[in-house]
Amino acid sequence: MSAHQTRREQLAQRFAEAKIDALLVTSLKNIRYLTGFTGSSAFLIVEPDNATIVTDPRYDIQVRQQVDCRAKVSPKPLPTVEALLNKLAPRHLGIEAAHLTVHDYNRYRAALPKSTRLISTASLVETLRSIKSPEEIDVIRRSVDLNSQAFANTVARIKPGITEQDVAAEIDHQMRLLGAEGPAFETIVAAGPNTALPHARPSSKTLENNELLLIDMGSQVEGYASDMTRMLHLGEPDRRTKQLYRSVLDAQLAAIDAIRNNVRAAAVDRVARRTLATRQLDRFFTHSTGHGLGLDIHEMPRLGRTDKSVLRTGMAITVEPGVYVEAKGGIRIEDTVLVTDRGCQVLTPTSKELLVI
Ligand code: ZN
Ligand code: ZN
């Protein structure tokens, strides 16, 4: 049985609990996970012992090459899906509430028989996706390694006078040269005061001596994301910067130490926050400690203060505490790690020393 078929069966096993007889999958990442199809337009109907993907003629050849379930190619995919569902006429049809527009919902409602109820589902496929198979972990490892190599190749070219945009362009270029499909998200390069913005966009600001440089980058390899943040300093950092860096690193290491199978995600977040609190820095830590990653750069679980999820062996997550002080600057350190029975494995091979150039 193919990996995709196994996943569809695992999904179907959750139908009873979700009180549905079939699921209409409209998230492209979920469709990729369940079938292997990588095109940009498709619908998937999953029944307990059957699945049908519907796409348009641009993907006629591709869909037959990639998927091992029934495939229908139609110049008008949406009416074709409606016709299929009409024929199937399930009593309870699950829809992915997070991945269906109100417009399309209304269309399905009007097109389907009165006897079919549309049931909102949440995260049915995403929950399966949060635990990675050994094959997926291999791909994530390759993504992480490539990402670190792209970082190393770029660092050799960083010097005062070039812009944040120059650095970001070089990173993206290196990723592609090394075989990535591209960046997994818009590469973040922030220098000096811009480091205080956790999601800064690379600007035309030039790198100056005696300032911090934050690089947050992720590659996409065979569809899978990696994610890493590293800090550099142009010239020798002062004592305060070194202390701040040490505090964030301590919080990151403490959080990593707290990770293992069956631990609540919120507990890991708390460890990072408490470590920063011992240095009165917790109020500058304004985001969550990490997130799952895979086919999406942000997926389940979230390692936030109020998150209810429990970490499980096989989850790939990031650990990325940070402190951000307006007008001064910010520091974040981020690794991709794999949850194991007894702890976790840090996949990111790049050194976590503050890199002085
Ligand atoms: Zn990141
Ligand atoms: Zn991240």
Side-chain angles (χ1 to χ4, degrees), residues 44-101:
L44 178 70
I45 302 165
V46 181
E47 302 162 63
D49 48 12
N50 212 345
T52 310
I53 187 169
V54 180
T55 184
D56 65 70
R58 287 175 300 167
Y59 296 112
D60 189 10
I61 299 169
Q62 185 178 329
V63 75
R64 281 183 280 112
Q65 287 172 343
Q66 288 182 328
V67 313
D68 60 358
C69 64
R70 206 149 64 111
K72 285 217 178 297
V73 176
S74 159
K76 290 192 170 137
L78 197 52
T80 303
V81 172
E82 287 167 356
L84 284 168
L85 289 172
N86 236 306
K87 208 165 129 208
L88 191 64
R91 284 173 60 84
H92 298 101
L93 174 68
I95 51 162
E96 295 188 292
H99 307 289
L100 190 69
T101 62

Side-chain angles (χ1 to χ4, degrees), residues 275-292:
T275 309
L276 290 170
T278 61
R279 290 143 215 192
Q280 286 79 49
L281 291 170
D282 50 321
R283 68 191 173 100
F284 300 116
F285 178 23
T286 47
H287 53 74
S288 57
T289 295
H291 53 87

